[in-house]
Amino acid sequence: MHRRISNNFTYVSSCVKYMIFLLNFVFWLFGGLLIGVGFYAFVDKWQVTGWLKVDNFYDVILNISLVMIIAGGVVFVVSFAGCLGALRENTCLLKFYSMCLLMFFLLEMAVAIVGFVFPHNMNSFLEDSFTDKIITTYRDDPDLQNLIDFAQQEFKCCGLSNAGYLDWGKNEYFNCSSPSVERCGVPYSCCINATDISSGLVNIMCGYGAQNASVAAASKKIWTSGCIEIVRVWAERNLYTIAGVALGAALSQLFVIYLAKTLEGQIDLQKSRWSS
């Protein structure tokens, strides 16, 4: 009787093993969903535009569908390694999984530290790196256009940099020298009241000619401040909430890394028992 119990003994905790498996199974499904949605959006945009520009790094990160596919692929691969590593008690896969989680954690911490300690430097970097690219490609990518419109409406801003609504002068459609009817205008998402209350329809011409007006005159019908500064101010006002969410996410990642390393140790102990 004692011998049978001794032979059946294992150092590997079923609780730790299946907790890792279930957590990663959920993220594995989420990664697959991201890939599916991103691929669908990519194909749909390809059919509409008929072309895809990926000449540099900015072309990739500003392409929402590609970002979803890449992010989904990373989540899918890493969570699959966690699932299979836990289920098959494979220490190589578990080491790869915990290493990936640690790299993600360190990267997130680096971005958070830079954002909290040097907010103005981060502002300047974002303005210098993304303003021209995002503004000039506004009409080229339907997904990016929808994202920009959503951000301007939600945060009540217009443009990206400190120039605010005047940023739209860099777009070929809204430039004052453009032959377009939209020249010297801004997107409708910059308007304070873009939707007609009586009809419920969006007035896409509400921002026409806004760039010709002074800040005081333009502010009566459109938002004039750039989105990057508005988002920074919003983040400062909600600093404790953001910090709490970030801390919760960081602790969750550390807990999962701890579980993975614990399972690795248990598997190694079990292997050493078998070999002895």
Side-chain angles (χ1 to χ4, degrees), residues 177-237:
S177 60
S178 170
S180 168
V181 294
E182 297 175 305
R183 61 183 177 275
C184 281
V186 294
Y188 74 90
S189 53
C190 288
C191 296
I192 297 174
N193 294 308
T195 305
D196 189 295
I197 299 176
S198 59
S199 63
L201 299 175
V202 175
N203 178 14
I204 61 173
M205 298 186 294
C206 60
Y208 283 14
Q211 292 182 55
N212 285 328
S214 63
V215 176
S219 62
K220 295 178 181 178
K221 63 176 184 177
I222 66 169
W223 311 112
T224 57
S225 300
C227 290
I228 293 177
E229 179 62 21
I230 293 294
V231 171
R232 187 187 68 80
V233 173
W234 173 85
E236 288 181 352
R237 290 175 180 171

Side-chain angles (χ1 to χ4, degrees), residues 18 26 48 66 86 113 124 129 139 150 156 191 193 213 241 250:
Y18 288 107
V26 172
V48 173
L66 276 181
I113 290 170
S124 300
S129 303
R139 283 285 168 77
F150 173 78
K156 300 179 179 179
C191 296
N193 294 308
T241 302

Side-chain angles (χ1 to χ4, degrees), residues 36-170:
V37 173
F39 185 74
Y40 174 81
F42 177 82
V43 172
D44 185 61
K45 182 165 57 179
W46 178 273
Q47 291 174 343
V48 173
T49 60
W51 61 278
L52 175 65
K53 184 181 178 183
V54 284
D55 295 339
N56 51 53
F57 174 72
Y58 295 107
D59 289 335
V60 175
I61 62 174
L62 294 178
N63 190 313
I64 309 302
S65 56
L66 276 181
V67 170
M68 290 181 69
I69 293 172
I70 294 170
V74 171
V75 172
F76 187 88
V77 170
V78 174
S79 57
F80 182 74
C83 277
L84 196 60
L87 198 61
R88 302 295 298 174
E89 298 180 8
N90 187 308
T91 53
C92 290
L93 287 175
L94 286 172
K95 287 180 189 298
F96 169 77
Y97 171 70
S98 57
M99 182 61 67
C100 288
L101 286 187
L102 182 60
M103 288 173 59
F104 296 156
F105 173 78
L106 293 176
L107 182 62
E108 290 163 10
M109 290 300 101
V111 172
I113 290 170
V114 171
F116 282 116
V117 179
F118 308 106
H120 294 288
N121 296 56
M122 177 71 82
N123 258 30
S124 300
F125 170 75
L126 292 174
E127 288 182 10
D128 296 340
S129 303
F130 293 101
T131 298
D132 290 354
K133 192 65 181 175
I134 289 177
I135 294 296
T136 55
T137 57
Y138 172 74
R139 283 285 168 77
D140 298 336
D141 188 336
D143 294 333
L144 182 62
Q145 179 177 329
N146 291 334
L147 179 63
I148 294 171
D149 286 336
F150 173 78
Q152 290 188 149
Q153 289 174 319
E154 287 297 311
F155 288 100
K156 300 179 179 179
C157 55
C158 188
L160 291 176
S161 71
N162 288 330
Y165 70 106
L166 296 178
D167 278 341
W168 288 105
K170 300 173 183 177

